[in-house]
Amino acid sequence: MTRALLSPSDWRRPAVRRTTRTLHALLLAALFLAGLGPMLWLAKAAVTPTQDTLRDPLALWPHGIDLANLSTAWTRVQIDKYFLNTVWVAAGSWLVQLIVATTAGFALSVLRPRYRRVLTGVVLTTLFVPAVVLLVPLYLSMVDFSLINSFWAVWLPSGASAFNILLVQRFFDNLPREVFEAARVDGAGPLRLFWSVVLPMSRPILGVVSVFAIVAAWKDFLWPMLVLPDPAVQPLSVRLPALQKFVELDVFLAALAISTVIPVVLFLVFQRMFLRGNALSGAVKG
């Protein structure tokens, strides 16, 4: 019998039920404010005049809503151009990370070479190396390969994500081996096994890695600033701070609000499509 903090007899007491439900409601409200509060405030400030935001930041539009902030941010700050740059940076980083993580995880978990433990240890060791230590040699490598002001300078280093590789490898370790053996008996080679068997069973972890990759690329500031010095190819995370001193506060907040739309929408889409626990249902019969 599972023991809980409150016994069934305690739950039958009205005072205990009221107190517990009140505490649950307060905890849920606190989590809501901590998680969505900043985003809701940014959405409110994006359509609020500057004076109202400075005078009373928490007031709900004391002098009305100014929707012109959004159109001004889109045209004057050139959000459309930098928004497209950000999409390219995020899409390329996502694709590179997904390819590297899935192929490396497949090789270490499914193919299982003799030196598997050594490679896993090497990948794990890279997690303990501070990213700032690699900044200078990585930048010099981009200079040597003439990749400065190229999206490849952002895409290629993003693939070296040990966390994603270990995450995918751990997921592949829990996949049913019976399916792999049956595919090999039917004549499937490594490539066919990877593409037709492993990937269709890995939708949950592909969604997790996709969310991590896109959000990380969307908010990254330091590395794109170093390898993309040309404003014409800079993403929003780099360009908006540079433009902050040239635009009004309400227009700047509107630009920030617009830049957060895609990560939120992508997270909701990936959560609905991929982050489900029934991806392996029916993979093994009987």
Side-chain angles (χ1 to χ4, degrees):
M1 182 176 179
T2 304
R3 299 181 61 88
L5 185 62
L6 296 177
S7 64
S9 59
D10 292 332
W11 276 106
R12 297 189 189 100
R13 298 164 56 185
V16 174
R17 289 201 305 269
R18 286 195 299 267
T19 303
T20 304
R21 289 170 180 170
T22 302
L23 291 176
H24 286 171
L26 292 176
L27 179 60
L28 182 61
L31 293 176
F32 178 82
L33 290 176
L36 293 180
M39 296 183 61
L40 294 177
W41 182 89
L42 180 61
K44 189 270 299 184
V47 292
T48 303
T50 299
Q51 294 302 321
D52 291 345
T53 301
L54 295 176
R55 189 178 297 113
D56 197 350
L58 298 181
L60 289 177
W61 307 295
H63 295 91
I65 298 176
D66 189 5
L67 295 177
N69 292 342
L70 299 175
S71 60
T72 303
W74 189 266
T75 56
R76 181 178 172 188
V77 186
Q78 294 182 308
I79 289 293
D80 53 346
K81 180 175 70 174
Y82 304 123
F83 199 91
L84 183 60
N85 292 342
T86 310
V87 170
W88 277 112
V89 169
S93 299
W94 163 76
L95 183 60
V96 171
Q97 289 188 50
L98 208 61
I99 292 175
V100 173
T102 53
T103 53
F106 175 78
L108 295 175
S109 178
V110 180
L111 299 183
R112 293 178 177 265
R114 292 182 180 179
Y115 44 86
R116 167 176 174 263
R117 295 183 181 274
V118 177
L119 289 178
T120 302
V122 171
V123 174
L124 182 61
T125 303
T126 60
L127 291 175
F128 299 93
V129 180
V132 68
V133 174
L134 305 175
L135 202 61
V136 173
L138 191 58
Y139 177 80
L140 294 178
S141 300
M142 296 299 106
V143 172
D144 291 339
F145 287 102
S146 301
L147 294 179
I148 299 300
N149 282 325
S150 170
F151 289 140
W152 287 103
V154 181
W155 295 342
L156 294 179
S158 66
S161 176
F163 176 78
N164 287 339
I165 294 175
L166 295 175
L167 193 67
V168 174
Q169 179 188 355
R170 180 63 177 174
F171 182 87
F172 287 174
D173 286 340
N174 295 324
L175 293 179
R177 299 288 155 179
E178 295 85 353
V179 178
F180 303 156
E181 296 302 327
R184 290 191 177 102
V185 170
D186 290 340
L191 183 59
R192 182 65 180 272
L193 181 64
F194 172 73
W195 184 259
S196 301
V197 179
V198 175
L199 287 186
M201 298 169 62
S202 306
R203 293 177 62 187
I205 197 61
L206 296 181
V208 172
V209 172
S210 297
V211 171
F212 287 164
I214 292 176
V215 172
W218 199 275
K219 69 177 183 178
D220 193 15
F221 169 75
L222 180 59
W223 183 247
M225 182 187 65
L226 293 176
V227 297
L228 301 176
D230 185 4
V233 295
Q234 288 179 345
L236 286 170
S237 60
V238 177
R239 199 61 193 149
L240 285 182
L243 296 174
Q244 181 178 3
K245 56 185 176 182
F246 300 109
V247 297
E248 295 81 3
L249 179 62
D250 53 356
V251 176
F252 178 71
L253 292 176
L256 287 179
I258 295 174
S259 67
T260 61
V261 171
I262 291 296
V264 173
V265 172
L266 286 177
F267 176 79
L268 295 176
V269 170
F270 278 115
Q271 182 190 39
R272 184 176 180 181
M273 294 178 59
F274 295 107
L275 305 184
R276 295 177 180 175
N278 59 352
L280 300 181
S281 60
V284 181
K285 297 182 180 180

mmCIF file of all heavy atoms in Angstrom, residues 20-47:
data_model
loop_
_atom_site.group_PDB
_atom_site.id
_atom_site.type_symbol
_atom_site.label_atom_id
_atom_site.label_comp_id
_atom_site.label_asym_id
_atom_site.label_seq_id
_atom_site.Cartn_x
_atom_site.Cartn_y
_atom_site.Cartn_z
ATOM 1 N N THR A 20 -5.675 22.021 2.024
ATOM 2 C CA THR A 20 -4.817 21.445 0.980
ATOM 3 C C THR A 20 -5.101 22.061 -0.384
ATOM 4 O O THR A 20 -4.177 22.409 -1.132
ATOM 5 C CB THR A 20 -5.020 19.927 0.918
ATOM 6 O OG1 THR A 20 -4.771 19.359 2.201
ATOM 7 C CG2 THR A 20 -4.075 19.302 -0.091
ATOM 8 N N ARG A 21 -6.364 22.223 -0.728
ATOM 9 C CA ARG A 21 -6.712 22.809 -2.025
ATOM 10 C C ARG A 21 -6.302 24.272 -2.104
ATOM 11 O O ARG A 21 -5.895 24.753 -3.167
ATOM 12 C CB ARG A 21 -8.213 22.655 -2.259
ATOM 13 C CG ARG A 21 -8.624 21.201 -2.540
ATOM 14 C CD ARG A 21 -10.115 21.022 -2.529
ATOM 15 N NE ARG A 21 -10.474 19.626 -2.803
ATOM 16 C CZ ARG A 21 -11.700 19.153 -2.673
ATOM 17 N NH1 ARG A 21 -12.694 19.963 -2.297
ATOM 18 N NH2 ARG A 21 -11.947 17.871 -2.929
ATOM 19 N N THR A 22 -6.380 24.975 -0.979
ATOM 20 C CA THR A 22 -5.920 26.365 -0.963
ATOM 21 C C THR A 22 -4.422 26.451 -1.203
ATOM 22 O O THR A 22 -3.944 27.291 -1.979
ATOM 23 C CB THR A 22 -6.283 27.033 0.366
ATOM 24 O OG1 THR A 22 -7.697 26.978 0.557
ATOM 25 C CG2 THR A 22 -5.829 28.488 0.389
ATOM 26 N N LEU A 23 -3.676 25.559 -0.543
ATOM 27 C CA LEU A 23 -2.224 25.547 -0.747
ATOM 28 C C LEU A 23 -1.877 25.176 -2.191
ATOM 29 O O LEU A 23 -0.956 25.749 -2.782
ATOM 30 C CB LEU A 23 -1.568 24.556 0.220
ATOM 31 C CG LEU A 23 -1.601 24.946 1.706
ATOM 32 C CD1 LEU A 23 -1.004 23.842 2.558
ATOM 33 C CD2 LEU A 23 -0.849 26.251 1.928
ATOM 34 N N HIS A 24 -2.619 24.237 -2.785
ATOM 35 C CA HIS A 24 -2.387 23.864 -4.179
ATOM 36 C C HIS A 24 -2.655 25.049 -5.111
ATOM 37 O O HIS A 24 -1.889 25.288 -6.057
ATOM 38 C CB HIS A 24 -3.289 22.693 -4.566
ATOM 39 C CG HIS A 24 -2.856 21.392 -3.981
ATOM 40 N ND1 HIS A 24 -3.617 20.250 -4.050
ATOM 41 C CD2 HIS A 24 -1.728 21.047 -3.300
ATOM 42 C CE1 HIS A 24 -2.976 19.256 -3.452
ATOM 43 N NE2 HIS A 24 -1.830 19.719 -2.989
ATOM 44 N N ALA A 25 -3.723 25.780 -4.842
ATOM 45 C CA ALA A 25 -4.053 26.932 -5.675
ATOM 46 C C ALA A 25 -2.988 28.017 -5.557
ATOM 47 O O ALA A 25 -2.590 28.625 -6.555
ATOM 48 C CB ALA A 25 -5.419 27.487 -5.295
ATOM 49 N N LEU A 26 -2.511 28.265 -4.322
ATOM 50 C CA LEU A 26 -1.460 29.274 -4.134
ATOM 51 C C LEU A 26 -0.161 28.859 -4.814
ATOM 52 O O LEU A 26 0.517 29.692 -5.428
ATOM 53 C CB LEU A 26 -1.226 29.501 -2.639
ATOM 54 C CG LEU A 26 -2.377 30.167 -1.870
ATOM 55 C CD1 LEU A 26 -2.049 30.240 -0.380
ATOM 56 C CD2 LEU A 26 -2.667 31.552 -2.416
ATOM 57 N N LEU A 27 0.183 27.579 -4.720
ATOM 58 C CA LEU A 27 1.399 27.099 -5.377
ATOM 59 C C LEU A 27 1.285 27.212 -6.892
ATOM 60 O O LEU A 27 2.226 27.633 -7.577
ATOM 61 C CB LEU A 27 1.666 25.648 -4.973
ATOM 62 C CG LEU A 27 2.896 24.985 -5.598
ATOM 63 C CD1 LEU A 27 4.160 25.741 -5.230
ATOM 64 C CD2 LEU A 27 3.002 23.526 -5.151
ATOM 65 N N LEU A 28 0.106 26.867 -7.437
ATOM 66 C CA LEU A 28 -0.099 26.977 -8.876
ATOM 67 C C LEU A 28 -0.023 28.432 -9.333
ATOM 68 O O LEU A 28 0.571 28.741 -10.379
ATOM 69 C CB LEU A 28 -1.448 26.381 -9.250
ATOM 70 C CG LEU A 28 -1.799 26.371 -10.747
ATOM 71 C CD1 LEU A 28 -0.787 25.547 -11.523
ATOM 72 C CD2 LEU A 28 -3.207 25.826 -10.963
ATOM 73 N N ALA A 29 -0.592 29.346 -8.545
ATOM 74 C CA ALA A 29 -0.525 30.769 -8.899
ATOM 75 C C ALA A 29 0.911 31.279 -8.853
ATOM 76 O O ALA A 29 1.336 32.065 -9.712
ATOM 77 C CB ALA A 29 -1.410 31.579 -7.949
ATOM 78 N N ALA A 30 1.688 30.825 -7.850
ATOM 79 C CA ALA A 30 3.089 31.251 -7.752
ATOM 80 C C ALA A 30 3.898 30.740 -8.940
ATOM 81 O O ALA A 30 4.717 31.474 -9.516
ATOM 82 C CB ALA A 30 3.699 30.757 -6.444
ATOM 83 N N LEU A 31 3.670 29.483 -9.325
ATOM 84 C CA LEU A 31 4.368 28.936 -10.489
ATOM 85 C C LEU A 31 3.959 29.665 -11.765
ATOM 86 O O LEU A 31 4.784 29.900 -12.653
ATOM 87 C CB LEU A 31 4.075 27.444 -10.610
ATOM 88 C CG LEU A 31 4.650 26.549 -9.510
ATOM 89 C CD1 LEU A 31 4.187 25.106 -9.705
ATOM 90 C CD2 LEU A 31 6.174 26.612 -9.502
ATOM 91 N N PHE A 32 2.692 30.020 -11.860
ATOM 92 C CA PHE A 32 2.206 30.744 -13.037
ATOM 93 C C PHE A 32 2.881 32.108 -13.148
ATOM 94 O O PHE A 32 3.328 32.507 -14.225
ATOM 95 C CB PHE A 32 0.692 30.902 -12.937
ATOM 96 C CG PHE A 32 0.084 31.670 -14.084
ATOM 97 C CD1 PHE A 32 -0.192 31.048 -15.284
ATOM 98 C CD2 PHE A 32 -0.192 33.032 -13.958
ATOM 99 C CE1 PHE A 32 -0.749 31.758 -16.341
ATOM 100 C CE2 PHE A 32 -0.736 33.743 -15.002
ATOM 101 C CZ PHE A 32 -1.015 33.106 -16.193
ATOM 102 N N LEU A 33 2.951 32.824 -12.016
ATOM 103 C CA LEU A 33 3.583 34.147 -12.040
ATOM 104 C C LEU A 33 5.073 34.056 -12.329
ATOM 105 O O LEU A 33 5.621 34.883 -13.061
ATOM 106 C CB LEU A 33 3.346 34.850 -10.699
ATOM 107 C CG LEU A 33 1.913 35.291 -10.409
ATOM 108 C CD1 LEU A 33 1.814 35.892 -9.012
ATOM 109 C CD2 LEU A 33 1.432 36.298 -11.446
ATOM 110 N N ALA A 34 5.740 33.047 -11.750
ATOM 111 C CA ALA A 34 7.183 32.912 -11.972
ATOM 112 C C ALA A 34 7.499 32.499 -13.399
ATOM 113 O O ALA A 34 8.495 32.945 -13.988
ATOM 114 C CB ALA A 34 7.767 31.897 -10.986
ATOM 115 N N GLY A 35 6.661 31.656 -13.992
ATOM 116 C CA GLY A 35 6.947 31.163 -15.333
ATOM 117 C C GLY A 35 6.441 32.051 -16.450
ATOM 118 O O GLY A 35 7.163 32.339 -17.409
ATOM 119 N N LEU A 36 5.192 32.519 -16.325
ATOM 120 C CA LEU A 36 4.587 33.295 -17.397
ATOM 121 C C LEU A 36 4.518 34.787 -17.094
ATOM 122 O O LEU A 36 4.213 35.570 -17.996
ATOM 123 C CB LEU A 36 3.163 32.778 -17.684
ATOM 124 C CG LEU A 36 3.064 31.376 -18.271
ATOM 125 C CD1 LEU A 36 1.607 31.002 -18.487
ATOM 126 C CD2 LEU A 36 3.820 31.271 -19.574
ATOM 127 N N GLY A 37 4.783 35.168 -15.863
ATOM 128 C CA GLY A 37 4.705 36.582 -15.497
ATOM 129 C C GLY A 37 5.556 37.493 -16.356
ATOM 130 O O GLY A 37 5.059 38.484 -16.916
ATOM 131 N N PRO A 38 6.868 37.199 -16.512
ATOM 132 C CA PRO A 38 7.702 38.075 -17.354
ATOM 133 C C PRO A 38 7.231 38.156 -18.805
ATOM 134 O O PRO A 38 7.271 39.232 -19.427
ATOM 135 C CB PRO A 38 9.091 37.424 -17.249
ATOM 136 C CG PRO A 38 9.070 36.691 -15.958
ATOM 137 C CD PRO A 38 7.668 36.189 -15.814
ATOM 138 N N MET A 39 6.773 37.031 -19.362
ATOM 139 C CA MET A 39 6.322 37.047 -20.749
ATOM 140 C C MET A 39 5.021 37.841 -20.894
ATOM 141 O O MET A 39 4.837 38.578 -21.873
ATOM 142 C CB MET A 39 6.116 35.613 -21.245
ATOM 143 C CG MET A 39 7.395 34.797 -21.285
ATOM 144 S SD MET A 39 7.137 33.145 -21.942
ATOM 145 C CE MET A 39 6.568 33.549 -23.573
ATOM 146 N N LEU A 40 4.127 37.692 -19.918
ATOM 147 C CA LEU A 40 2.878 38.458 -19.969
ATOM 148 C C LEU A 40 3.148 39.949 -19.820
ATOM 149 O O LEU A 40 2.510 40.785 -20.477
ATOM 150 C CB LEU A 40 1.919 37.967 -18.886
ATOM 151 C CG LEU A 40 1.397 36.534 -19.062
ATOM 152 C CD1 LEU A 40 0.521 36.148 -17.878
ATOM 153 C CD2 LEU A 40 0.627 36.393 -20.368
ATOM 154 N N TRP A 41 4.099 40.299 -18.940
ATOM 155 C CA TRP A 41 4.427 41.719 -18.781
ATOM 156 C C TRP A 41 5.037 42.277 -20.062
ATOM 157 O O TRP A 41 4.739 43.411 -20.466
ATOM 158 C CB TRP A 41 5.395 41.908 -17.621
ATOM 159 C CG TRP A 41 5.714 43.359 -17.383
ATOM 160 C CD1 TRP A 41 5.046 44.237 -16.587
ATOM 161 C CD2 TRP A 41 6.792 44.108 -17.986
ATOM 162 N NE1 TRP A 41 5.621 45.477 -16.644
ATOM 163 C CE2 TRP A 41 6.692 45.428 -17.493
ATOM 164 C CE3 TRP A 41 7.816 43.800 -18.873
ATOM 165 C CZ2 TRP A 41 7.591 46.424 -17.874
ATOM 166 C CZ3 TRP A 41 8.697 44.799 -19.248
ATOM 167 C CH2 TRP A 41 8.588 46.083 -18.748
ATOM 168 N N LEU A 42 5.900 41.497 -20.716
ATOM 169 C CA LEU A 42 6.497 41.961 -21.963
ATOM 170 C C LEU A 42 5.431 42.159 -23.028
ATOM 171 O O LEU A 42 5.469 43.138 -23.787
ATOM 172 C CB LEU A 42 7.544 40.953 -22.438
ATOM 173 C CG LEU A 42 8.262 41.292 -23.751
ATOM 174 C CD1 LEU A 42 9.028 42.594 -23.620
ATOM 175 C CD2 LEU A 42 9.211 40.152 -24.142
ATOM 176 N N ALA A 43 4.460 41.240 -23.102
ATOM 177 C CA ALA A 43 3.375 41.396 -24.071
ATOM 178 C C ALA A 43 2.557 42.649 -23.775
ATOM 179 O O ALA A 43 2.126 43.353 -24.690
ATOM 180 C CB ALA A 43 2.476 40.160 -24.049
ATOM 181 N N LYS A 44 2.344 42.934 -22.496
ATOM 182 C CA LYS A 44 1.611 44.155 -22.118
ATOM 183 C C LYS A 44 2.418 45.407 -22.441
ATOM 184 O O LYS A 44 1.894 46.390 -22.983
ATOM 185 C CB LYS A 44 1.279 44.099 -20.622
ATOM 186 C CG LYS A 44 0.344 45.177 -20.119
ATOM 187 C CD LYS A 44 1.046 46.443 -19.639
ATOM 188 C CE LYS A 44 1.985 46.177 -18.489
ATOM 189 N NZ LYS A 44 2.570 47.476 -17.986
ATOM 190 N N ALA A 45 3.719 45.378 -22.108
ATOM 191 C CA ALA A 45 4.562 46.556 -22.337
ATOM 192 C C ALA A 45 4.777 46.821 -23.824
ATOM 193 O O ALA A 45 5.056 47.956 -24.213
ATOM 194 C CB ALA A 45 5.914 46.376 -21.648
ATOM 195 N N ALA A 46 4.644 45.794 -24.662
ATOM 196 C CA ALA A 46 4.855 45.985 -26.089
ATOM 197 C C ALA A 46 3.814 46.895 -26.707
ATOM 198 O O ALA A 46 4.081 47.522 -27.746
ATOM 199 C CB ALA A 46 4.846 44.629 -26.805
ATOM 200 N N VAL A 47 2.638 46.991 -26.121
ATOM 201 C CA VAL A 47 1.568 47.852 -26.646
ATOM 202 C C VAL A 47 1.219 48.949 -25.655
ATOM 203 O O VAL A 47 0.088 49.444 -25.626
ATOM 204 C CB VAL A 47 0.319 47.004 -26.990
ATOM 205 C CG1 VAL A 47 0.599 46.103 -28.170
ATOM 206 C CG2 VAL A 47 -0.134 46.178 -25.795
#
